[in-house]
Amino acid sequence: DIQMTQSPSSLSASVGDRVTITCRASQSISSYLNWYHQKPGKAPKLLIYAASGLQSGVPSRFSGSGSGTDFTLTISSLQPEDFATYYCQQSYGIPYTFGQGTKLEIK
Amino acid sequence: EVQLVESGGGLVQPGGSLRLSCAASGFTVSSTYMNWVRQAPGKGLEWVSVIYSGGNTLYAGSVKGRFTISRDDSKNTLNLQMNSLRTEDTAVYYCARAPGASKWFDPWGQGTLVTVSS
């Protein structure tokens, strides 16, 4: 199975900050990397698909980059509604696997 | 509007069975890839199974041989039959669409909680 490792596991930041979350795959996954966020008690929501594609309806402050084994999710200016847990997911091969999550908290 | 609504969760004893359903609206389940993903309490996300538009199915190793994914085209519903349940199967189970032939999940249902305990 392909292992996905996110860093950091948790992050404290303020409204207006620029934030970057990293995801590393245990082998090359080309651009088959997706990002979701999840708020407590809610289902995950797709933010970025295929490493850099912005899902319809998602604000442009979210962006993704990377290919191969190293990927990043950047939030250019944090808004109050962005405080959540973020997950990366590889869709290169079955079983699809997720990172362990990055909890983004208000400083 | 594309929407998924899960049902069927509950409390079951170890070794027991449960059947989850996911009712879809706004699209046809048979025309796309449909998945189950689960999340144990306080833990991360774990992909469980997929059924392709052609009917082929795949499973995570942790559930292979115990869980069966299927769909009811007449009801536009996705199902997950779970047998020989273990305490480690306790989780919120989400159904999720992979639009077209994509491999990302959107949207997700609200989830249904399965608790395996004696």
Side-chain angles (χ1 to χ4, degrees), chain A residues 82-93:
Chain A
D82 299 337
F83 293 94
T85 299
Y86 289 77
Y87 293 96
C88 61
Q89 174 235 340
Q90 66 81 16
S91 51
Y92 180 81

Side-chain angles (χ1 to χ4, degrees), chain A residues 38-69:
Chain A
Q38 183 181 33
K39 297 180 182 180
K42 301 294 186 180
K45 177 185 174 183
L46 178 67
L47 301 172
I48 300 289
Y49 60 89
S52 60
L54 186 66
Q55 173 65 359
S56 175
V58 174
S60 59
R61 63 181 179 271
F62 290 92
S63 64
S65 65
S67 67
T69 60

